[in-house]
Amino acid sequence: MITVTNLAMQFGKRVLFSDVNLKFTQGNCYGVIGANGAGKSTFIRMLSGELEPTKGQISIGSGERLSVLRQDHFEFDAETVIDTVMMGNDKLWEVKTAKEAIYAKDDFSEEDGIRAAELEEKFAEMDGWNAESNAAQLLSGLGIREELHYRLMGELSNKEKVRVLLARALYGNPDNLLLDEPTNDLDIEAVMWLENYLANYENTVLVVSHDRHFLDAVCTHTIDIDYGKITLFAGNYTFWYESSQLALRQLQNQKQKAEEKRKELEEFIRRFSANVAKSKQTTSRKKMLEKLNVEEIQPSTRKYPGIIFTPEREPGNMILEINGMGKTAEDGTVLFRNVSFNVEKGDKVAFVSRDPRAMTAFFEIINGNDKQYEGKYNWGVTITTAYLPLDNTQFFNNDLPLTDWLGQFSQDTTEAYIRGYLGKMLFSGDEIYKKSSVLSGGEKMRCMIARMMLKNANVMILDSPVNHLDLESIQAFNNTLINFKGNVLLASHDREFVSTVCNRIIELTPNGIIDKYMDYDEYLTSEAIREVRERMYGA
């Protein structure tokens, strides 16, 4: 249990939040949300003890252990992978190293024997004899192969290190667990494993994430940082988002009577409760619905970008033909081979693969940027495309102000016209004259989306479209693609994005494709599909 009393955080004259009084209790998972810069990571760092609050106190239950997902990928480079995980339980590790130090003595005394016996007893009480196997089990669940368990951390890739650090945070069943963006760099299988792990976790969890499906799957409560306050709501992210949107519509409808508003909100809660009760999502395991309160619902101060794709013409019947396509990476890995399919009118296709390089390579080929491939592709004569690449670095190798940067991609270069598109992407005032070279990752993505909007294309090609975006931008992007009248070809690790947008799944493998018109969640959980995948990858 974590108790926060009269907490405040201020940087200079800027107050992030104040008068925060909350209690985080056992058996609940709290999703921390808020606009970029609201203070989500700052709040987690304060709870972990890394940052001192400007005012107030944070206390943890007596004798309880707090575990934090570490962000320094080089901190444990000199340690083995298995030791790094076990060190996550500092009390167990202290006992283990103390008894091993005694046994390593050349002059082992009677006093040492008594002390060693005491430590052995403590070690057994802490399930120390299963410590290594428990650590290995966590590592395997997160996709770290057994042959890596005794390697040094410094020998691992950054993506592998992220998984080891996550295993370290989870290790030893801590009483309080703080996770800041735990799904970063995890593939879908690892994310699903983590969802299931946290869904059955009986202690206290606080998590910051931009993955909406993950938040919905694991969270019983939502912690919203807004209005300079931190407010606790019962329910997951989707409940918070939909209820805040409903409250905003009601606020805008001045003519609606108070009693009508209350009935509308109560009906919303009733419908949401019924949907969650029927859902397969793990949030139903908790009693989160018991505390849903009409009075808590209020509009958010968040700003959502105005992402609007308007095709200049409707696509014809012939969209895209792929015949016998193959691609081999520079290291000799076959990314995909014998790829043949047609994209039909109305298709919104999610491309997946165990090797994420496969989707990027495919998109680069069909956009004419990569000429080294096997096979052929052919676009229909009515088709115009807008491409959001995984790497947008080449677009920002200049010092142009945003008005001139976006003007490069527009026939109408008047400032009023360009300002309108930048405004939709939340660039206002003097921000529109910002130099393109100093933009953050999220700002660059919003500029790239504005560039796509200018094309009025009828086919959207999106490689990891949620990268660097905040929840508000992701939600706006998602909503737009659901209603988009053209075709969508995308690859994304955001399960909610894919599930709500796409009606077709194409998996690129070294031995052909798996091509299914089906729900993405069903695709991920189908035993029959899993067996086909194993054969296609030669596993």
Side-chain angles (χ1 to χ4, degrees):
M1 181 176 71
I2 302 174
T3 304
V4 174
T5 308
N6 297 326
L7 196 71
M9 193 64 187
Q10 183 172 344
F11 293 104
K13 293 183 179 180
R14 187 189 174 207
V15 178
L16 279 184
F17 37 77
S18 60
D19 300 321
V20 180
N21 292 278
L22 295 169
K23 186 178 289 186
F24 305 112
T25 56
Q26 184 180 16
N28 290 312
C29 180
Y30 303 86
V32 183
I33 64 170
N36 278 358
K40 301 183 293 295
S41 294
T42 298
F43 184 57
I44 293 293
R45 291 170 66 198
M46 291 167 69
L47 295 179
S48 72
E50 186 182 343
L51 276 181
E52 282 289 326
T54 306
K55 180 183 176 185
Q57 291 183 328
I58 297 166
S59 61
I60 297 172
S62 177
E64 292 186 353
R65 188 165 69 89
L66 176 73
S67 185
V68 184
L69 176 59
R70 307 294 279 265
Q71 302 295 334
D72 184 351
H73 295 177
F74 306 100
E75 186 176 356
F76 304 101
D77 276 1
E79 306 291 344
T80 65
V81 168
I82 201 83
D83 282 353
T84 299
V85 175
M86 289 194 292
M87 288 164 68
N89 187 340
D90 52 355
K91 293 178 182 177
L92 175 63
W93 185 255
E94 185 180 333
V95 171
K96 180 178 181 293
T97 53
K99 73 184 185 70
E100 287 175 351
I102 291 174
Y103 290 138
K105 283 186 172 183
D106 293 329
D107 54 342
F108 191 87
S109 66
E110 183 179 347
E111 188 179 328
D112 289 331
I114 294 170
R115 177 59 178 156
E118 292 172 351
L119 291 171
E120 288 288 8
E121 187 177 353
K122 281 187 180 180
F123 192 65
E125 287 174 359
M126 300 170 79
D127 198 26
W129 298 112
N130 292 317
E132 200 162 310
S133 62
N134 291 339
Q137 190 174 355
L138 281 172
L139 287 167
S140 297
L142 287 165
I144 299 297
R145 303 185 310 279
E146 193 171 343
E147 58 263 33
L148 297 178
H149 292 187
Y150 294 92
R151 296 264 192 94
L152 292 178
M153 283 285 283
E155 298 176 39
L156 271 57
S157 69
N158 269 343
K159 288 189 175 182
E160 289 167 336
K161 286 181 178 180
V162 166
R163 295 172 186 230
V164 176
L165 293 176
L166 180 53
R168 173 192 164 87
L170 300 176
Y171 182 70
N173 198 38
D175 303 286
N176 303 284
L177 182 59
L178 307 179
L179 302 174
D180 192 351
E181 297 291 357
T183 63
N184 281 3
D185 292 317
L186 299 186
D187 59 25
I188 190 66
E189 286 83 8
V191 172
M192 291 169 67
W193 180 91
L194 182 59
E195 285 179 3
N196 186 62
Y197 186 92
L198 293 178
N200 295 291
Y201 199 71
E202 293 302 323
N203 293 330
T204 305
V205 183
L206 279 87
V207 58
V208 176
S209 178
H210 287 101
D211 187 327
R212 296 161 300 156
H213 186 280
F214 178 75
L215 288 175
D216 278 353
V218 304
C219 293
T220 60
H221 296 75
T222 299
I223 305 296
D224 182 33
I225 304 180
D226 202 356
Y227 299 100
K229 304 289 182 183
I230 301 181
T231 309
L232 171 65
F233 298 96
N236 58 19
Y237 172 77
T238 294
F239 176 78
W240 172 86
Y241 172 73
E242 293 186 3
S243 62
S244 69
Q245 292 297 296
L246 173 59
L248 179 60
R249 290 194 298 273
Q250 288 191 339
L251 182 67
Q252 293 168 343
N253 186 359
Q254 299 294 334
K255 295 180 181 179
Q256 190 176 11
K257 296 179 181 177
E259 184 58 30
E260 290 176 355
K261 289 182 179 181
R262 184 176 183 85
K263 285 181 178 179
E264 187 177 16
L265 290 169
E266 287 175 340
E267 172 62 16
F268 167 75
I269 288 179
R270 188 192 65 76
R271 283 188 288 105
F272 185 87
S273 301
N275 288 339
V276 170
K278 294 175 187 175
S279 174
K280 294 178 182 178
Q281 289 178 348
T282 48
T283 46
S284 61
R285 82 198 190 282
K286 301 291 186 182
K287 297 179 179 179
M288 68 174 217
L289 300 175
E290 293 178 0
K291 296 182 180 179
L292 294 183
N293 185 357
V294 171
E295 306 302 332
E296 291 180 346
I297 299 175
Q298 59 179 324
S300 168
T301 62
R302 310 281 205 286
K303 291 182 179 180
Y304 292 81
I307 302 175
I308 304 168
F309 297 127
T310 309
E312 199 162 52
R313 64 180 297 181
E314 184 181 342
N317 292 325
M318 198 297 214
I319 310 297
L320 174 64
E321 292 179 347
I322 305 290
N323 292 298
M325 186 176 286
K327 176 67 181 179
T328 301
E330 290 183 2
D331 64 5
T333 303
V334 176
L335 299 178
F336 51 84
R337 184 188 285 142
N338 300 327
V339 173
S340 297
F341 63 88
N342 290 344
V343 176
E344 307 293 341
K345 193 170 183 177
D347 280 353
K348 294 182 178 179
V349 187
F351 290 88
V352 299
S353 176
R354 288 186 178 174
D355 191 332
R357 295 177 297 173
M359 288 87 76
T360 296
F362 178 76
F363 290 152
E364 286 292 296
I365 290 168
I366 64 173
N367 279 281
N369 299 329
D370 184 350
K371 308 297 183 183
Q372 304 299 315
Y373 63 93
E374 302 167 7
K376 298 179 180 179
Y377 71 92
N378 185 34
W379 288 103
V381 294
T382 64
I383 300 305
T384 52
T385 64
Y387 179 35
L388 185 66
L390 177 65
D391 182 4
N392 57 37
T393 306
Q394 63 173 315
F395 292 92
F396 297 95
N397 290 331
N398 55 61
D399 275 327
L400 293 174
L402 291 190
T403 48
D404 292 345
W405 183 91
L406 191 57
Q408 298 174 102
F409 312 106
S410 175
Q411 293 182 344
D412 186 341
T413 57
T414 59
E415 183 171 308
Y417 184 75
I418 298 299
R419 183 190 285 269
Y421 279 88
L422 291 172
K424 289 184 177 72
M425 291 297 101
L426 305 182
F427 293 104
S428 59
D430 290 341
E431 286 183 327
I432 67 170
Y433 304 115
K434 252 181 150 173
K435 296 296 176 74
S436 61
S437 58
V438 302
L439 299 178
S440 67
E443 289 172 328
K444 287 178 180 178
M445 284 294 283
R446 283 188 275 130
C447 284
M448 293 296 289
I449 293 169
R451 173 180 173 270
M452 293 180 74
M453 288 165 57
L454 283 167
K455 298 197 74 173
N456 295 324
N458 52 28
V459 174
M460 298 289 149
I461 305 170
L462 310 167
D463 193 351
S464 301
V466 305
N467 281 6
H468 305 294
L469 293 180
D470 56 23
L471 274 172
E472 292 70 50
S473 298
I474 293 170
Q475 192 74 59
F477 207 167
N478 197 162
N479 292 345
T480 293
L481 291 177
I482 290 171
N483 299 309
F484 181 61
K485 299 303 181 185
N487 290 85
V488 178
L489 312 180
L490 73 84
S492 177
H493 56 76
D494 188 308
R495 188 166 165 181
E496 185 75 11
F497 207 93
V498 175
S499 297
T500 53
V501 171
C502 298
N503 63 347
R504 184 179 179 184
I505 315 297
I506 294 179
E507 182 151 3
L508 304 171
T509 84
N511 295 296
I513 63 169
I514 306 169
D515 186 356
K516 297 290 182 182
Y517 281 92
M518 66 191 303
D519 177 78
Y520 186 50
D521 288 336
E522 183 185 351
Y523 186 87
L524 291 173
T525 56
S526 167
E527 186 64 25
I529 295 293
R530 188 190 68 79
E531 291 174 0
V532 173
R533 295 178 82 205
E534 295 303 319
R535 290 199 301 272
M536 297 296 281
Y537 286 101

